Amino acid sequence: MPTVLAIHAHPDDIETLAAGTLALLSAKGVRVVIATLTAGECGAVNDEPEATARVRRAEAAAAAALIGADYLCAGLPDLGVFNDDRCRRAATELIRGARPDLVLGPSPADYHPDHEAGSLLVRDGCFAASAPGYRAGTAQPLDAIPHLYFVDPVGGRDREGRPVAPEFAVDIGSVMAVKREMLRRHQSQVDWLLKQHGMSDFTAGMEAQSRKRGREFGVAFAEGFRQYRHTPYPRDPRLQTLLGEILTSTGA
Ligand SMILES: [Zn+2]
């Protein structure tokens, strides 16, 4: 069975955007690794980033463990993810370390600078990971470029509010309870999301987005994806084939 690596910028992003799909893959016997570029140390109402980083790494590992997934963190600074040399080497080392066949990465357009820069780093890290001459860390280069997919942006929209349409969606109705439990492992986010985002129920955004995608595809809950197919990335529908029943057109 292949390995699927889901990378995003902060702990709780993947739980919000792709945990249902990862739960389905894990249940099929696929090895799943969840990784974040940062530990999300700025996502707290206190001013002790080191302590926040420890808490959030532990929460992310606990969430991943619910579906039998491993958790990795590249340790880049929160709000300090840039499309630069240092960050690209860190992303490449992360990808090489996980040995993925498929990678799920952040949407190129999203609400947060770490998400948008992280999308470029994951895209280009997948390319660099199989280049033997590219020095990153101690992990061995990959044999080939992995299949690359972008998850939906938070809220399904870009910064101007325009909808970002997925290419296909995955029906996550059967694993919605697992997805909720994974997100609830990020309990440190309750106070932060109330302060910074004005959200009194920190799972409400995930719930609404999953329901909206589901409505668009004629099911109760769904997650959307786009495959990156530019040369020389693999173009065959490997994730779609792994998942089987893929939703490819809007229901209504
Ligand atoms: Zn984030």
Side-chain angles (χ1 to χ4, degrees):
M1 278 300 222
T3 293
V4 173
L5 168 64
I7 310 178
H8 219 293
H10 313 106
D12 82 3
D13 287 326
I14 280 296
E15 287 78 353
T16 299
L17 299 166
T21 300
L22 296 178
L24 290 169
L25 289 167
S26 182
K28 289 175 182 288
V30 172
R31 176 176 169 250
V32 175
V33 181
I34 297 176
T36 57
L37 294 168
T38 81
E41 67 272 14
C42 296
V45 294
N46 64 50
D47 60 354
E48 296 166 353
E50 296 81 6
T52 300
R54 280 194 297 277
V55 168
R56 299 202 67 187
R57 281 177 186 244
E59 289 174 341
L66 286 176
I67 56 167
D70 292 325
Y71 169 69
L72 303 173
C73 179
L76 294 175
D78 195 358
L79 284 165
V81 178
F82 292 93
N83 186 26
D84 63 14
D85 186 64
R86 174 194 169 216
C87 293
R88 186 182 295 157
R89 289 182 201 280
T92 302
E93 177 69 2
L94 185 72
I95 293 165
R96 285 176 173 170
R99 318 300 303 166
D101 302 287
L102 302 89
V103 172
L104 314 183
S107 171
D110 207 330
Y111 87 98
H112 194 291
D114 289 348
H115 292 203
E116 295 190 327
S119 183
L120 296 173
L121 293 173
V122 171
R123 183 195 69 190
D124 299 331
C126 284
F127 183 97
S130 62
Y134 186 73
R135 303 272 188 254
T138 58
Q140 290 297 306
L142 300 184
D143 295 331
I145 299 174
H147 288 64
L148 175 60
Y149 295 81
F150 296 128
V151 303
D152 279 332
V154 172
R157 297 182 174 277
D158 68 14
R159 288 174 184 265
E160 279 71 49
R162 292 183 292 250
V164 175
E167 175 192 337
F168 64 89
V170 178
D171 180 354
I172 58 165
S174 66
V175 289
M176 195 58 194
V178 179
K179 182 174 184 178
R180 289 189 187 104
E181 274 311 302
M182 289 175 72
L183 188 55
R184 285 194 191 114
R185 287 296 182 277
H186 296 271
Q187 272 299 317
S188 69
Q189 294 308 283
V190 173
D191 293 341
W192 167 248
L193 289 172
L194 180 59
K195 175 186 180 294
Q196 190 80 347
H197 293 247
M199 288 170 60
S200 56
D201 174 0
F202 89 111
T203 64
M206 177 280 283
E207 197 82 24
Q209 182 164 351
S210 302
R211 198 179 297 276
K212 179 172 183 296
R213 274 286 178 259
R215 201 162 48 239
E216 291 166 356
F217 284 86
V219 296
F221 299 100
E223 290 168 347
F225 297 91
R226 285 159 287 161
Q227 184 171 4
Y228 183 77
R229 295 188 179 87
H230 210 309
T231 187
Y233 292 67
R235 296 180 180 186
D236 60 293
R238 192 160 183 191
L239 178 65
Q240 298 90 316
T241 303
L242 267 176
L243 286 160
E245 288 283 304
I246 287 291
L247 309 167
T248 53
S249 60
T250 55

